[in-house]
Amino acid sequence: MIFAVTPELPVPGQEARARLRDLPRTAAAHDAVLPHYPALALVETGGTAGAAALALPLRVAAWNLERCLFPAETAGALAGIDVALLSEMDDGMARSGQRHPTAEIAQALGMAYAYGVEFLELGLGSPIEQGFCRDGFNSRGFHGNALAARSPLVRPFMLRLPGRRQWFMDEEQPRLGERMAIGATVATAAGPVVFVSTHLESACPESHRAAQIQALIAALDLHFPALPVLIGGDLNTGNHAGGNWRAESLFGIARAAGFSIHGGPAEAPTTRPSLITRFPERAMKLDWFLARRLRLGATTIHPALDAQGRPLSDHERLETTVEALEIPPPPAG
């Protein structure tokens, strides 16, 4: 678990990133250079939260924003949300205008944020994404996950999840790093809650995702024992054409650890065609909330469209409400 924070992530130089592209594409080469890129071992914090503690019920959104091409419109869609769990957030990527969408959304909504780097991107993205680029370089090259809230973030953290370095070896989109989770404790009127934004691996068998969720739960048990927890994000369940989310063993692992599962209507997909992912046949249920020691209201799925009907992402926005905390009584004696 990483607890080191910074107001601004250190940016590796263009020459250093170019050297990474020339390395052998092996796990050993990846792991040898990773410690030399401190941005992947820090949590960036910023923004300003207006509330000291959040009143219940509070609204939570989990949203994979597919690079976040449109921060202003995304902030508009998140109006009224108290806690936002965001994934696939660029920072300084040519395909998204070299912007820092997490910081822009937090500023627009009056939120504090924590941002962590999932990958240092070594290229400009997929061929479709390169069509969005006005520059031939990435100013920072970061891609990651974020948490934003209307109340201050206490003890923000990042956890790098178990991986196989497959994206470092990818020919089209080479990357340094692994999937990760980012979270913090947030004060509510009923007590503190740990909120976690995560993004599990897509390019793997379901057993890999099971190991990732098991590692995340173990870390939360170690560092935040007895606190209520809400995990939200793109769990990539059954992520392939005709995939079956019900076959994912991560759900059984979560239930055994005391989590309830919330994904909205069972047959409702959470993906859609977008400006980047242009596949109308791609309809899958990938996005979920996992809750422990919390009573949630209904979980709903909202179209990822702006006011003009333009898709903001290839994932719909998942929303729920935290109605109450379920704190177990102290042990007798």
Side-chain angles (χ1 to χ4, degrees):
M1 192 77 87
I2 295 165
F3 291 99
V5 300
T6 180
E8 186 174 356
L9 293 171
V11 179
Q14 296 290 347
E15 291 185 4
R17 283 180 262 169
R19 288 195 296 271
L20 286 173
R21 292 193 289 271
D22 295 332
L23 289 175
R25 297 299 174 81
T26 65
H30 175 282
D31 293 353
V33 299
L34 187 66
H36 299 288
Y37 292 83
L40 281 79
L42 291 167
V43 176
E44 179 179 297
T45 56
T48 304
L54 299 175
L56 298 180
L58 63 88
R59 292 176 60 193
V60 186
W63 201 357
N64 177 325
L65 280 160
E66 195 188 27
R67 306 4 179 171
C68 199
L69 299 178
F70 308 107
E73 292 80 358
T74 298
L78 290 168
I81 291 295
D82 297 296
V83 179
L85 309 175
L86 309 177
S87 52
E88 288 201 18
M89 300 296 289
D90 276 356
D91 175 14
M93 290 290 298
R95 64 193 176 197
S96 46
Q98 311 288 17
R99 301 167 76 168
H100 191 347
T102 299
E104 293 184 38
I105 291 168
Q107 181 177 18
L109 297 178
M111 290 180 160
Y113 76 85
Y115 176 81
V117 178
E118 187 173 67
F119 298 114
L120 174 62
E121 300 271 356
L122 306 184
L124 299 178
S126 70
I128 290 175
E129 290 171 331
Q130 291 176 33
F132 292 90
C133 298
R134 295 183 180 179
D135 302 316
F137 65 93
N138 299 318
S139 62
R140 290 181 291 279
F142 298 147
H143 182 69
N145 303 330
L147 161 69
R150 297 187 186 277
S151 170
L153 304 180
V154 178
R155 207 182 176 200
F157 63 87
M158 177 169 64
L159 178 70
R160 307 211 74 83
L161 300 174
R164 300 176 183 176
R165 325 302 189 267
Q166 56 262 62
W167 289 103
F168 185 66
M169 305 173 204
D170 188 77
E171 290 297 325
E172 184 177 275
Q173 299 183 65
R175 307 163 176 174
L176 183 74
E178 291 284 5
R179 302 294 184 181
M180 45 77 81
I182 191 162
T185 300
V186 174
T188 79
V193 176
V194 179
F195 290 93
V196 183
S197 171
T198 195
H199 186 198
L200 303 188
E201 185 54 66
S202 57
C204 68
E206 68 85 22
S207 59
H208 186 153
R209 289 185 287 275
Q212 291 182 324
I213 208 71
Q214 194 161 37
L216 175 55
I217 291 171
L220 292 170
D221 288 346
L222 177 63
H223 294 281
F224 300 93
L227 284 184
V229 177
L230 184 63
I231 301 168
D234 176 5
L235 304 189
N236 270 311
T237 43
N239 189 349
H240 56 84
N244 179 13
W245 61 264
R246 292 178 174 85
E248 298 271 341
S249 58
L250 67 86
F251 293 118
I253 291 168
R255 289 191 180 96
F259 285 84
S260 54
I261 314 298
H262 308 265
E267 303 308 320
T270 61
T271 61
R272 66 161 48 246
S274 70
L275 299 183
I276 294 174
T277 305
R278 305 167 183 176
F279 312 117
E281 71 280 6
R282 184 179 178 272
M284 298 178 287
K285 195 169 186 66
L286 307 182
D287 304 271
W288 303 86
F289 291 111
L290 309 179
R292 185 165 67 182
R293 302 189 184 111
L294 294 171
R295 188 174 77 239
L296 302 188
T299 296
T300 52
I301 301 169
H302 299 264
L305 301 172
D306 67 9
Q308 286 70 48
R310 177 180 57 183
L312 300 174
S313 174
D314 64 332
H315 287 247
E316 313 289 33
R317 185 177 74 256
L318 205 65
E319 290 190 16
T320 194
T321 56
V322 175
E323 305 284 352
L325 279 57
E326 297 177 346
I327 308 297

